[in-house]
Amino acid sequence: MNALIACEESQTVCKAFRELGHNAFSCDIQECSGGHPEWHIQGDVIPLINGNCEFRTVDGTGHVINGKWDLIIAHPPCTYLSNAGAARLYKKINGKSYVEVERLSKGLKAKAFFLEFLSADCPHIAIENPIPSGIYMLPNYSQIIQPYQFGHPYSKKTCLWLKGLPNLKPTNIVNPLCSWVSGGSKKSDGSPRTNCGTKFRDSKTRSKTFPGIAKAMAEQWGGLIE
């Protein structure tokens, strides 16, 4: 099976599919941190998503995909689409709320990028993102998954938009110890949070796919498509 893992520098999902013998490639404008440049395409992913393409992986090897990809799993940037950042879309001037035009423009570009994957010429597509802000009116997601459903003791709501794929089934449900992403020290009503989440603030670490989720994707979807 030929699988394209878009917007993934960690190679977590790519490696999970490779371990099961699939011809998977990660693609991102960033260098890969997963240790397998021979499976990583560094560059713009959009020219590749409809298949019938040629590309070189970071190690310099040329590859050809004849026909469509069998599967695309995409992790488009969520900075401007996420509901968590919706409050930054507005600013107050003299007590009145106004839309932050620059941030709105970036959000609309992010939405267009997101929709490129959803409309790709591929029979099986999965797009992963946090709960989106309603202002961008993205299509309804297929399901919400949590790390604690796949063996990781954290909560982090993650939406999946699926085309030609079944919902991902939990594989190892454990009790969550805390949130993976910190929500700050106070709730929206000003009261103290009892669960502030992990302490790190690095956005790259926060956004990486959990290995248990990647393994479930490879085992459940890879086997189905074969």
Side-chain angles (χ1 to χ4, degrees), residues 50-114:
N50 293 320
N52 290 305
C53 57
E54 298 182 12
F55 56 85
R56 288 189 178 277
T57 42
V58 174
D59 68 335
T61 304
H63 302 269
V64 178
I65 299 296
N66 293 312
K68 305 174 184 179
W69 292 95
D70 297 303
L71 171 68
I72 295 175
I73 299 177
H75 310 272
C78 64
T79 302
Y80 300 103
L81 295 178
S82 170
N83 190 52
R88 299 185 183 90
L89 189 58
Y90 302 94
K91 59 183 178 181
K92 281 194 174 183
I93 301 176
N94 297 326
K96 294 183 179 181
S97 294
Y98 296 87
V99 171
E100 179 59 63
V101 176
E102 183 179 358
R103 189 176 183 91
L104 177 62
S105 177
K106 290 179 178 179
L108 292 173
K109 288 180 181 178
K111 175 185 177 180
F113 186 66
F114 179 103

Side-chain angles (χ1 to χ4, degrees), residues 158-198:
T158 300
C159 303
L160 295 178
W161 286 257
L162 305 176
K163 170 186 170 183
L165 293 169
N167 284 1
L168 203 62
K169 297 178 181 178
T171 56
N172 180 20
I173 299 176
V174 298
N175 291 323
L177 300 176
C178 65
S179 299
W180 181 245
V181 179
S182 174
S185 60
K186 294 183 179 180
K187 299 179 182 179
S188 59
D189 62 4
S191 61
R193 286 186 187 273
T194 56
N195 178 1
C196 294
T198 53

